[in-house]
Amino acid sequence: MNRAVFLDRDGTLIEEGGYLDRIERVSFFPWTVDAVRVLNRAGLRVVLVSNQAGVARGIFPESVVEDIHRHIGEVLEAGRARIDAYYYCPHHPDGTVEAYARQCDCRKPGRGLIDRASRELGIDPMRSFVVGDRWLDVALARAVGARGVLVRTGYGLAEERRPAPDLMADAIVDNLIAAVSWILARSPSE
């Protein structure tokens, strides 16, 4: 079974920009490509897991999410880095688009995205990590038995100031590159 780093998208991999409804609004952190490349070279699977409620709210169609993920992949590829798979939840219980307006198990902190990735990619979540800028990312890590890292980018600094009851991150670090350093120190190559 493979080990993986499950990365949140907005505020972790790329800058937080609200509901990203077009590629021109995607802004990479200066360390993103290097961080992903280091994980690739360490032999860890890199999997994006993201809530995309903008689909359920009628702000943009799923095709926009897919276009943005394709763009992220192209930028990473130009820097010799890659994300192995992209998983996102288009649902929200308060959505306005009927097909997506529902409760589901794939909306973080629900474990559905990681369960699916684990089945499809042969990943052992208990040997893996979840990195994100919200407590719900840490809660997702707990739900699947992974280690959870909260980054201070995006909403992370505000989240750190409002600790979640009964929920502790394994680490709270400044950004994705610091998270990668923390992960590699605890994840020797196999």
Side-chain angles (χ1 to χ4, degrees), residues 10-167:
D10 304 342
T12 303
L13 185 71
I14 59 175
E15 292 193 34
E16 175 59 49
Y19 288 111
L20 285 180
D21 56 357
R22 59 187 186 281
I23 290 172
E24 297 78 26
R25 294 187 55 224
V26 174
S27 180
F28 284 81
F29 292 113
W31 53 77
T32 296
V33 175
D34 292 334
V36 174
R37 184 182 330 104
V38 168
L39 291 171
N40 297 151
R41 289 183 178 167
L44 291 157
R45 295 307 270 298
V46 180
V47 179
L48 183 141
V49 289
S50 181
N51 286 345
Q52 292 300 315
V55 175
R57 294 181 188 275
I59 297 169
F60 47 79
E62 278 193 84
S63 61
V64 168
V65 177
E66 293 161 3
D67 289 345
I68 287 171
H69 291 171
R70 191 170 18 265
H71 174 67
I72 289 170
E74 290 166 356
V75 170
L76 291 172
E77 184 179 337
R80 298 179 324 279
R82 75 179 180 292
I83 290 178
D84 294 294
Y86 297 80
Y87 294 88
Y88 65 93
C89 172
H91 311 112
H92 195 283
D94 300 327
T96 58
V97 178
E98 187 176 343
Y100 301 106
R102 63 180 173 90
Q103 292 280 10
C104 63
D105 69 346
C106 62
R107 182 167 177 75
K108 297 186 296 183
R111 59 182 292 148
L113 296 176
I114 289 183
D115 287 344
R116 185 171 150 217
S118 296
R119 279 191 312 274
E120 292 177 0
L121 303 174
I123 293 169
D124 180 355
M126 294 181 69
R127 295 174 54 225
S128 297
F129 303 84
V130 178
V131 181
D133 67 326
R134 296 210 169 204
W135 287 115
L136 64 84
D137 297 301
V138 175
L140 173 60
R142 294 292 169 264
V144 300
R147 294 190 208 174
V149 181
L150 181 71
V151 293
R152 292 185 180 108
T153 51
Y155 293 109
L157 189 57
E159 293 279 285
E160 181 183 17
R161 292 180 180 147
R162 292 185 313 268
D166 302 321
L167 185 62

